Amino acid sequence: MSTPSKPKLSEVQRGSIPFTPWASIEELFRKQKAYFYTDATKTYEWRVDQLDRLVRMLKENYERFADASRRDFKTAVQENAFEVSASIATSEFAKSQLKEWMKPVEAPLPKFLAKSGHKGMVYREPYGVTLIICPFNGPLLLSLRPAVAALSAGNPCILKLSEALPATDELLLELIPRYFEPESFSAVIGARETVTNLLKLPFDFLFLTGSVGVGKVVMRAAAENLTPVLLELGGQNPAIVDETANIPDAAKKIVWGAMAWGGQWCTSPGYGVVHESIAEQFVAECKKAVVELYSTDPKSNPDYSRVISPAAVERLASLIDPKKVVYGGKSDAPARYLDPTILYPISWSDKIMEDEIFGPLLPILTYSDLGALLTKIKSLPKPLAGYMFSRSQKAIDRVLQSLSFGGGAVNQTNVFLFIESMPYGGVGNSGIGNYYGKYGFDSLTHAKSILISPADVGIDHLLPPYTAQKVQALNQWFDY
């Protein structure tokens, strides 16, 4: 195993929250490894106990968690409350289904094996100690939801918290040790060096929610130890609006999808692409929707969440061409705020289309031919989400069949990610693997296949000396 470099002083403490000392992180890792080897985490009782602890921690500190999320950036009441309530619901759902998920599943066998008393079983076994690298945009959801998947699957885990969330980080660092044993579930905080050193440790599973660039770093590190990974990344998510769509409905849903969470959600529509015959009407409806949802003064509207940092505001502001701004588009001090901004018209060649925006900006493009549009979108990196607004089932079917993306919706945005019974995950540049509910349980466990043979039954045609009859008998293996 590689020896991590000694952290610099800047890695030990920065800002108001002390970074976790590297020696403490190494000790946590060793403790979780040793604990996993006892097999304690493989029992149903241990897993349910961890989920119970998580629910208690959230319920007993509900207002503190919601307030921390608000102080970090989610000023919208619905958003900071949802962070807590959805995390509770995810834990409760896993707990209600866990016994069923853990049952071995019988697999079909070739007929001759089944007739001779053989049985095929698939067991789900935990991988082991799991590192979960958390992003800023879901202070609780995108840290605790992966933790639910890990713990329900029987994996001790360490959260590497995002240092961009001082209020939420401080609360998690206080409460997790009060509700959990460190060998089961722990949280640490640090910056880039901490992540670099963590990735050198031989974790049994790596779970990242983050950018494509960080995803590549994690993949390279995972290769050194041949560690399985689950990567939830992002991308520029298209929202296609054809000429048959309900235009006011589509505009309002796309504007909400692009502006909720301050536009800082990985499934947010990255751009609208609208049939040229309805473009002007659609833009007018978008401008109307911004005012209806967030008023003429979004900065003073408590339903509009802030941008995470001044640096993020400056990055977003640099994307705006003042000549193309239809609504708002300026930052102000303290730079945690950006007007909801509609950019139209935008050319496919504009740089704004190359990378995920991750903020309350909605570029709008036009198209005339759906086939040419699909060809163009397919030339771009595969997005995490895709949305189609149409009344034409033929057009809807064509888009869903043609485009590859992680998940999405028809005549809606974003809300598919609220549904615990559906898998959530990217493809290609937008991620590897998926989670939520049973899908997370399966992703965080290895499917171990076991053939059970009666003690007194042999398979004679596998053993020499081989005859033509024995060779012919091999065909039985393909008859189910």
Side-chain angles (χ1 to χ4, degrees):
M1 138 180 156
S2 301
T3 302
S5 59
K6 184 177 180 181
K8 299 174 183 177
L9 181 61
S10 61
E11 277 288 293
V12 177
Q13 184 167 354
R14 184 180 301 162
S16 60
I17 303 177
F19 284 178
T20 311
W22 180 249
S24 299
I25 295 175
E26 285 187 304
E27 178 58 26
L28 275 176
F29 176 77
R30 286 193 293 266
K31 189 174 287 189
Q32 289 200 355
K33 276 281 191 177
Y35 186 60
F36 180 71
Y37 291 150
T38 70
D39 291 339
T41 72
K42 296 180 180 179
T43 67
Y44 170 79
E45 291 74 19
W46 181 88
R47 303 179 198 204
V48 167
D49 181 47
Q50 305 313 304
L51 297 175
D52 278 337
R53 290 169 185 249
L54 189 55
V55 170
R56 287 202 310 274
M57 181 181 78
L58 291 167
K59 286 185 174 180
E60 292 171 9
N61 300 277
Y62 190 104
E63 294 302 327
R64 292 184 71 192
F65 275 117
D67 183 62
S69 175
R70 179 190 61 77
R71 285 188 286 135
D72 282 328
F73 78 100
K74 291 198 170 186
T75 51
V77 173
Q78 185 267 359
E79 292 171 16
N80 58 55
F82 185 74
E83 283 285 329
V84 193
S85 58
S87 299
I88 293 170
T90 293
S91 307
E92 296 279 22
F93 179 78
K95 193 170 69 169
S96 72
Q97 302 295 312
L98 183 57
K99 191 165 285 187
E100 191 64 29
W101 294 349
M102 289 180 66
K103 288 180 181 177
V105 176
E106 188 166 358
L109 291 179
K111 290 177 181 177
F112 86 96
L113 285 178
K115 287 179 181 178
S116 59
H118 290 75
K119 184 178 285 189
M121 301 300 297
V122 179
Y123 294 80
R124 308 294 317 193
E125 65 175 17
Y127 281 107
V129 180
T130 298
L131 173 63
I132 299 171
I133 303 174
C134 311
F136 78 81
N137 57 319
L140 291 180
L141 265 178
L142 297 184
S143 56
L144 298 186
R145 208 170 203 165
V148 167
L151 295 170
S152 66
N155 303 297
C157 58
I158 296 175
L159 299 183
K160 191 281 164 185
L161 303 175
S162 167
E163 64 273 23
L165 301 165
T168 302
D169 290 348
E170 186 173 19
L171 193 53
L172 286 171
L173 290 168
E174 172 198 337
L175 295 178
I176 288 177
R178 281 173 40 189
Y179 285 84
F180 294 88
E181 300 300 328
E183 60 266 28
S184 298
F185 183 40
S186 296
V188 302
I189 188 168
R192 183 175 297 180
E193 284 182 48
T194 297
V195 175
T196 299
N197 288 338
L198 277 166
L199 291 174
K200 292 177 182 177
L201 295 174
F203 280 93
D204 299 298
F205 196 93
L206 300 175
F207 192 126
L208 165 75
T209 305
S211 68
V212 173
V214 178
K216 291 178 179 180
V217 170
V218 170
M219 282 287 283
R220 283 192 288 269
E224 290 300 313
N225 293 306
L226 297 177
T227 304
V229 300
L230 199 159
L231 305 180
E232 295 295 348
L233 308 177
Q236 273 291 64
N237 306 313
I240 301 171
V241 185
D242 78 3
E243 64 274 29
T244 72
N246 180 331
I247 298 172
D249 177 76
K252 182 173 285 189
K253 289 173 178 176
I254 291 171
V255 165
W256 171 77
M259 308 305 170
W261 304 286
Q264 299 158 110
W265 201 259
C266 41
T267 60
S268 299
Y271 58 96
V273 55
V274 185
H275 192 272
E276 61 185 11
S277 65
I278 60 167
E280 297 295 336
Q281 183 185 354
F282 179 79
V283 171
E285 291 293 340
C286 284
K287 293 160 68 175
K288 185 190 301 183
V290 169
V291 175
E292 287 180 5
L293 296 175
Y294 302 111
S295 79
T296 56
D297 183 22
K299 182 179 180 181
S300 303
N301 191 325
D303 294 330
Y304 183 56
S305 286
R306 300 296 176 254
V307 176
I308 188 64
S309 69
V313 170
E314 292 307 311
R315 178 186 64 82
L316 291 166
S318 72
L319 300 174
I320 300 172
D321 180 348
K323 296 176 182 177
K324 294 179 180 176
V325 173
V326 173
Y327 182 89
K330 61 181 180 179
S331 60
D332 44 67
R336 292 287 304 281
Y337 170 83
L338 194 73
D339 278 338
T341 303
I342 309 298
L343 302 177
Y344 169 81
I346 289 290
S347 164
W348 281 101
S349 61
D350 285 350
K351 188 178 185 304
I352 202 167
M353 298 309 305
E354 295 176 10
D355 300 304
E356 185 176 16
I357 291 174
F358 221 67
L361 309 181
L362 180 65
I364 299 175
L365 305 92
T366 62
Y367 76 97
S368 58
D369 178 75
L370 183 59
L373 170 63
L374 296 178
T375 298
K376 177 63 181 178
I377 294 175
K378 286 193 285 189
S379 72
L380 302 170
K382 294 179 181 179
L384 179 60
Y387 305 108
M388 177 63 177
F389 288 80
S390 175
R391 288 188 175 99
S392 166
Q393 192 59 49
K394 182 178 179 181
I396 292 168
D397 291 344
R398 185 178 182 187
V399 169
L400 295 182
Q401 186 277 330
S402 182
L403 293 183
S404 178
F405 52 89
V410 173
N411 296 318
Q412 187 53 271
T413 61
N414 279 341
V415 295
F416 74 98
L417 60 85
F418 300 166
I419 301 172
E420 200 66 27
S421 58
M422 296 170 65
Y424 174 80
V427 58
N429 255 45
S430 58
I432 296 173
N434 51 53
Y435 72 120
Y436 280 29
K438 177 67 160 58
Y439 299 94
F441 177 88
D442 286 348
S443 291
L444 272 291
T445 53
H446 166 64
K448 182 166 66 178
S449 298
I450 303 295
L451 178 66
I452 303 169
S453 174
D456 54 353
V457 174
I459 305 175
D460 293 338
H461 65 260
L462 293 181
L463 307 176
Y466 297 115
T467 64
Q469 186 177 12
K470 284 185 175 183
V471 172
Q472 182 65 29
L474 291 174
N475 289 326
Q476 297 175 86
W477 288 90
F478 308 104
D479 183 15
Y480 284 82

